[in-house]
Amino acid sequence: MIGRIAACAALMLVVAIPLRVEAHHSAVMFDDQKEVTVEGTVKEFQYTNPHSWIQLVVAAEAGNTIEWSIETAAPVVLLRAGIKPSALQPGDKITLRAHPLKDGRAGGSLIDIKKADGTTLSLRGPGNY
């Protein structure tokens, strides 16, 4: 009886853990069939787990601005691609490509970045813009 209970519990864990991981890493809110190019000024680069974020201030109509929230990878993935915490500083002018949010809000999932000095940042590594 105890063996059956342990086997059942183990099976439940094997089934439940991948579902939780898949749900956490879902990108369903992004339209991966579209790309947007956004040019603006870095407000903040949040180099945090489980996902890093770029807050980008973008010029809009009539002198207004819109703040875009761009999701990117975890710090370990960014480091492997050569993107350090100091890669983006407040005030940096950048152009980035992203998969936009499906609901039309100002946000997306990062594809790559081109800085004003010509430096490119990509999860595929340096120089892959």
Side-chain angles (χ1 to χ4, degrees):
M1 181 71 168
I2 293 176
R4 281 184 142 183
I5 293 172
C8 187
L11 180 60
M12 288 173 57
L13 283 174
V14 167
V15 171
I17 289 174
L19 293 176
R20 177 164 166 68
V21 170
E22 180 62 31
H24 172 76
H25 290 281
S26 175
V28 72
M29 71 283 264
F30 303 113
D31 188 342
D32 65 355
Q33 301 301 308
K34 293 182 182 176
E35 291 182 8
V36 293
T37 300
V38 183
E39 185 175 333
T41 304
V42 174
K43 177 179 178 183
E44 185 178 11
F45 183 28
Q46 301 167 6
Y47 206 83
T48 59
N49 279 312
H51 302 279
S52 297
W53 291 86
I54 301 166
Q55 299 303 123
L56 189 67
V57 177
V58 178
E61 296 177 16
N64 295 325
T65 60
I66 298 172
E67 186 170 331
W68 282 67
S69 294
I70 305 298
E71 182 176 343
T72 187
V76 67
V77 176
L78 295 174
L79 277 175
R80 286 182 191 144
I83 303 172
K84 298 177 182 178
S86 60
L88 296 174
Q89 297 294 319
D92 285 355
K93 306 288 186 202
I94 64 171
T95 301
L96 63 77
R97 292 187 309 147
H99 295 293
L101 287 167
K102 287 180 180 176
D103 67 8
R105 288 180 296 143
S109 175
L110 182 69
I111 298 171
D112 49 32
I113 297 168
K114 189 167 190 173
K115 296 176 68 172
D117 66 3
T119 303
T120 60
L121 305 174
S122 170
L123 296 179
R124 296 171 290 204
N128 292 304
Y129 184 74

